[in-house]
Amino acid sequence: MYSFDYVKPGSIDEAVAALQAEDAQALGGGQTLIPTLRQRLAQPSVLVDLGGCLDAGVASQDGGCRIGGGATHASVAASADAPKWLRAVADGIGDPQVRNRGTIGGSLANNDPASDYPAAVLGSGAEISTNARTIAADDYFQGMFETALNEGEIITGVTFPKLEAANYQKFDQPASRFALVGVFVGKGAGGVRVAVTGASESGVHRWADAEAALAGNFSTDAVPGAPSADGVISDLHGSAEYRAHLVAVLTRRAVAAAG
Amino acid sequence: MPKDQGIGASSKRREDVRFLTGKGQYTDDINRPGQTYAYFLRSNVAHGKINGIDTSAAASAPGVVGIFTAKDLEAAGGVPCGWQVTDKHGEPMKEPKHPILAEGKVCHVGDPIAAVIAESLNQARDAAELIDLDIEELPPVIDMRAAISGGPTVHDEAPDNICFDWDFIADNKEAVDQAIAGAHHVTTLTLTNNRLVANAVEPRCAIGEYDAARDEHTLYTTSQNPHVIRLLMGAFVLSIPEHKLRVVAPDVGGGFGSKIYHYAEEAFVTWAAKAVGRPIKWTADRSESFMSDAQGRDHQTKVELALDENGKFLALRCETLANMGAYLSTFAPCVPTYLHGTLLSGNYTTPVIHTNVKAVFTNTVPVDAYRGAGRPEATFQLERTIDKAAREMGIDPVELRKRNFIAPDAFPYQTPVAVQYDTGNYGATMDKAVAMADLDSYAARKTASEAKGKRRGLGIASYIEACGIAPSSLVGALGARAGLYEAATVRVNPTGNVAVMTGSHSHGQGHETTFAQVVAEMLGCDEANVDIVHGDTAKIPFGMGTYGSRSIAVGGSAIVRSVEKIIEKGKKIAAHLMEAAEADVTFADGQFSVAGTDKSVDWGTVALTAYVPHNFPHETLEPGLEETSFYDPANFTYPAGAYICEVEVDADTGKVDIASFVAADDFGNVINPMIVEGQVHGGLTQGLGQALLENCVYDENGQLVSASLMDYAMPRADDMPSFGVDHSCQTPCTHNPLGVKGCGEAGAIGSPPALVNAVVDALSDLGVTHIDMPVSPGRVWAAIQAAQN
């Protein structure tokens, strides 16, 4: 990797200030950033480690939960204060090393088009808190690796609502074990939401046709056939048609498992 | 009661103490005083003309010790190829130069262009980024069919990109054509044997060092055969006399073939260490391993099998395109030819066989032997085709194989493809596998799978391999430019303990344990009293190293021969001590005795006396107790077996789960059953990894798409079932002293067709007749869609 400076601020304000430096880069759990640095694919001037200032806790809240931006996947997976469906999502991310280092804030700020948390956040209708504001999930995800975050804006927490039924179905890409396709189905006060990760060239997104069908009939029979393969990722692990097919299969399975 | 030591005991692997406690000494663990670091600037295009390399800015970067390009290496030779194939017109194969650093053009992504030596690796990398390359991109050729059909030319020496066009056995061609033309049934199958990346846990590493005062070079390297590297590099590349060149291959973390070969980086650090007057270390990172380690397999084949109305095989015809990549790696030409064509008889009595192999240059990383090397390709062709024939003719796949097995009383069996099998019993391993797999209750398991919404499939495969790679006379006749014997020195120390210097090289196989068991058994001593030394040309006799499942069969036999000489010498000493006739002295359980008397001397006394020869008759008895043997066997060995795989396929997603896998192998006699079981587990996992997960993919521009472990799917523990392994069916090898055959590659040879046969079985009622490896979920789903449309 290239040389860089490293700071670990003790408060959010200090972190925000540190991130004003040109080519500064926030460091969460580093599960994407550190490999990127090692391959010399990024050259930040300074790494601002958020581990010293972010809340890493998990707390139940109004039947849902609030998770600090610094919470690791392992701590969410192990927390009795997180709903079971969310614990299952966290427990399926990466491997034990990744889960013990990676954070929810880091995952959402990166917004990898095949990662798991974006599907859970979008599919549950969660809210993302930053040092400056609160952003609804529908407004937050803006394409592959694109989010509503401004330069230097830091995710401080995520609030997941109470859901009556929810489930995340992930089909592993065999090498990376990221989601080849992942589907989160959530049914709550706001209706039925279906969020898809891994499939679209525009990143995580909602599947409106399925949501409409399931709103009146929350059963596997109601799930539509495969969505259009237009704009769906095609690579050595699966064609666009295959991924589109998986979206429907996994949605059915998520509905069935959500009960 | 199992033995607790010696031959047949499952002795714990002594080397694991250091491996599992972090005390192994791998090449990268070695650091030499004043050491510098090398970084290779590699091509990022698959094919291009080098118009200029400007290193001036890089040369003045901090920490730079030296920067080198091809023009600095004009006196050096190219990286040599160790095997010559003669094509069907009697012409030698096309052998374009493989320069250490690219000369005028680059031929694959990863081709090294320049090397930067600096005080630290980071400084070397920083400086490399300042090198200004002027490369004019040329259209690359990646696909083999395009390469031989007027595509761009990789090397001017081979304008049609064909390295050789090989017929085997040419004289059989007419008979095969006739048999196929007139046969009751002909099964045809076109298949691909997917390209693989070896991915040893330890990446390649090389340290060059030059001692100016002694004019001596040392290369520390990740190699399976240090003497082969010394010979190839010293004699053919750098013109360093062998007595001035030491090659050390210390602990090596897996090879699987990829560390047999002599690589450009080894020659470079050896040469450059003298040029800069400092030791130089180079360690590949994983990305470099993907684009610079020789890759495996990559064959496309059309198979035609002719059968009579009873399912007897009448003739076999195979036509293969074998990818060589951009340059000929050390043993590349022998893989699709003599390690492949000679195995096409399999376990069967097929009377006539003909194969044509066209070896093709493409703008991809060189391809060479990878665990099994040619034999997995042959086995996959045969066993997939036989399975298809069984389905087409409505014959049970076990029964069809049994009808065609070479009978146990037919050995030695001369195949129509040059090799002669010494011994075997293929029906026995098949019966054993069928029993282990509990096929009687298969129908119930299939029903249970269906109740879960899964399709269950059953796959059968037999295999045979020619391994214990040797003998010199045979491989010489087939084109090897080296002999393939093995060497061992057994040194008894004055206090009776034993050092064995072997030319075999352990890179995970457990030789230090297994070889000690053999010696302990023969000498009647404790295994702990035997030390195994390997991997250093300064310490061991000239040996050929480890590959082709040859270590116990060839290297172990060399040790046996030396121990036999030790015992003979010991008898002479004992006879002298007991004032008896040498012919009357016997040796058993560590005691030399005079037959028919109560006179005996123990091992320790004989050993000590050998080095304290106060009253030896020196005209007839030399001091010392040390013997060397070079063992060159009469034939290959022929391990064989039967594998049965059951899979569950989720037709909605295409996901294949291996429900069970049993392996019944005939390895002849077994030295350490636990180690053999481990070798089988590893081989099966690599074979099933190829069949289910692994795939090395280039795009049309020659960029490696599966260039990291994020896209190249290695098998993990949870991808594998709990294997059922058996090696009780033993037909000992008839021509080596231990009766052993070798077990390292078997699992990787027999398992791919077993798995693919099972997947096709699960989907056959949908109309699926074949899926190429890896049978990934996307491919399975696509095959179902294609069959139904």
Side-chain angles (χ1 to χ4, degrees), chain A residues 56-99:
Chain A
V58 179
S60 62
Q61 182 176 306
D62 303 332
C65 72
R66 161 133 184 133
I67 297 178
T72 62
H73 314 323
S75 64
V76 175
S79 172
D81 290 322
K84 204 172 163 186
W85 51 264
L86 184 59
R87 294 171 62 182
V89 172
D91 198 41
I93 299 172
D95 51 37
Q97 291 92 329
V98 168
R99 291 195 288 274

Side-chain angles (χ1 to χ4, degrees), chain A residues 1-3 38-40 95 171 173-178 236-239 241-242 245-246 249-250 252-253, chain B residues 122 125-126 129 287 650 652-655 693 697 705-706 709-713 716 718-719 777-778 781:
Chain A
M1 58 180 71
Y2 297 108
S3 299
R38 286 176 57 88
Q39 292 179 71
R40 294 190 161 208
D95 51 37
F171 192 82
Q173 191 259 54
S176 68
R177 297 199 177 175
F178 270 79
L236 76 160
H237 303 293
S239 65
E241 291 72 23
Y242 175 60
H245 166 76
L246 281 183
V249 171
L250 297 178
R252 281 198 297 274
R253 291 183 181 183
Chain B
N122 241 358
R125 290 187 70 164
D126 286 345
E129 291 183 5
S287 302
D650 179 344
D652 280 343
T653 63
K655 177 89 162 56
L693 296 159
V697 180
V705 180
S706 54
L709 295 172
M710 294 295 277
D711 282 304
Y712 186 90
R716 306 182 202 195
D718 65 359
D719 292 314
W781 179 78

Side-chain angles (χ1 to χ4, degrees), chain B residues 105 259 346 350 378 393 463 490 502 560 675 716 736 767 780:
Chain B
K105 61 175 185 171
K259 292 172 181 166
T350 316
M393 296 183 73
Y463 79 91
V490 173
T502 171
V560 169
I675 286 179
R716 306 182 202 195
N736 65 41
V780 170

